[in-house]
Amino acid sequence: MTYKDYQQAFLNSFERIGQEGINFIGLKPLPTSSCVENCADQLLELMFPGRCDGSNSQSMQDIVVHQLEQVRWTMNTLVFQSYNHECKCTDNNEEESRELTEKAMAVFLEELPEIRRKIKLDAHAGFDNDPAAKDIHEVILAYPFIKALTIHRVAHCLYQVGVPLLPRLLNEWAHSRTGIDIHPGASIGTSFFIDHGTGVVIGETTAIGDNVKIYQGVTLGALSFPKDACGTLIRGAKRHPTIEDNVTIYANATLLGDITIGHDSIIGSSVWLKHDVPPFTSVLLQQPETIHREIKRSSKKA
């Protein structure tokens, strides 16, 4: 085959898969990865002015007003694109997408003060629970969980009002930057702290209470995926853990399924759980036996 034959064969593949939602040409504009990244940076700067920009030539009020306007404009564009792509709108249907965008943005702007309040409590939880933290500013500037939770709390707000696509794009951006994978559907209470963070996975229907602390490698996942009579996945069913208030989950623990971890409990490192845990309970693996053997040294003659 010549190069033109290969080229034509590849072009033909687009004709075959175009109706399956993989060929994006011809659809309305999508939120691009660069715009999502820009939006995430703007959100971080809005919540903690000076974190990204570092400009101090204006008053705090001027900086926040300017940053809020940037976020509003960028978010409005991305939300509209998400709605427009979701319903594959024609020109006659764009008005519906604009109405949905206006409603979603009204909720988002109304919720912003509460989102910032929660993020401030998350930052204080990081400082209060980590003796390695020198001050609250170090937590805000250097700890990956702040970046992940800032984006998650915004994405969760959008998810709750039904914005398609964008919440997942935002959280996947945070996942790529921090190693912390939180589905936008997960509900997270106040003063949440993720220590280190690498490898943490929190599934869509997870519900986390207040003052919860988890360490690296923790998985709050699904045990199985329920299906209907035709064998199709039932989407939206509760299939992830509920973590009540004041729970600590140590590194590499795996909690699976629609189980409840009672308040004020401790889940030890590397524990594998598929059942409920009552309040005020410590769940630990039995201490493994440690064996010390002397290594035989070989005698070498000169």
Side-chain angles (χ1 to χ4, degrees), residues 113-188:
E114 177 64 11
I115 291 172
R116 174 162 160 76
R117 185 187 74 86
K118 289 181 178 179
I119 294 168
K120 288 171 63 179
L121 291 174
D122 296 331
H124 282 285
F127 177 69
D128 293 340
N129 287 283
D130 187 4
K134 299 298 186 293
D135 53 46
I136 192 71
H137 302 105
E138 182 180 26
V139 174
I140 293 169
L141 292 170
Y143 282 45
F145 88 99
I146 287 294
K147 184 181 294 184
L149 282 182
T150 298
I151 300 305
H152 170 74
R153 293 198 184 279
V154 170
H156 182 66
C157 173
L158 299 176
Y159 178 91
Q160 286 189 305
V161 297
V163 176
L165 191 59
L166 180 58
R168 195 62 186 267
L169 292 177
L170 284 168
N171 269 17
E172 284 305 317
W173 177 88
H175 179 202
S176 69
R177 296 302 190 278
T178 66
I180 300 170
D181 185 2
I182 311 176
H183 192 284
S187 173
I188 298 177

Side-chain angles (χ1 to χ4, degrees), residues 176-247:
S176 69
R177 296 302 190 278
T178 66
I180 300 170
D181 185 2
I182 311 176
H183 192 284
S187 173
I188 298 177
T190 59
S191 300
F192 183 50
F193 176 43
I194 305 175
D195 201 356
H196 304 295
T198 305
V200 165
V201 176
I202 301 176
E204 178 186 17
T205 62
T206 302
I208 297 175
D210 298 335
N211 304 306
V212 171
K213 177 171 63 174
I214 68 176
Y215 286 77
Q216 71 273 14
V218 167
T219 296
L220 305 178
L223 180 62
S224 61
F225 302 100
K227 298 181 180 181
D228 60 20
C230 299
T232 304
L233 287 177
I234 300 174
R235 303 182 186 278
K238 183 75 166 78
R239 60 191 185 279
H240 298 97
T242 295
I243 313 298
E244 294 184 348
D245 298 346
N246 308 313
V247 170

Side-chain angles (χ1 to χ4, degrees), residues 45 48-64 66-67 70:
E45 179 66 17
F48 299 107
R51 185 190 189 283
C52 302
D53 187 359
S55 173
N56 57 5
S57 59
Q58 298 174 288
S59 69
M60 176 65 73
Q61 180 174 331
D62 289 341
I63 292 173
V64 171
H66 171 73
Q67 197 62 35
Q70 281 195 314

Side-chain angles (χ1 to χ4, degrees), residues 43 46 56 59 64 69 100 159 182 225 248 269-271 298:
L43 286 167
L46 177 64
N56 57 5
S59 69
V64 171
E69 181 59 23
L100 290 169
Y159 178 91
I182 311 176
F225 302 100
T248 298
S269 296
S270 302
V271 166
S298 59

Side-chain angles (χ1 to χ4, degrees), residues 252-272:
N252 300 314
T254 300
L255 285 63
L256 300 178
D258 182 13
I259 62 176
T260 298
I261 308 301
H263 60 83
D264 298 278
S265 292
I266 297 174
I267 309 300
S269 296
S270 302
V271 166
W272 180 285

Side-chain angles (χ1 to χ4, degrees), residues 80-113:
F80 173 74
Q81 289 175 341
S82 298
Y83 274 122
N84 226 15
H85 172 72
E86 172 77 6
C87 60
K88 300 179 177 61
C89 290
T90 64
D91 291 339
N92 295 329
N93 294 329
E94 285 195 1
E95 187 59 34
E96 180 183 357
S97 290
R98 297 194 186 282
E99 290 176 3
L100 290 169
T101 298
E102 184 176 343
K103 291 178 182 178
M105 288 299 298
V107 174
F108 166 67
L109 293 171
E110 183 179 355
E111 287 295 314
L112 267 179

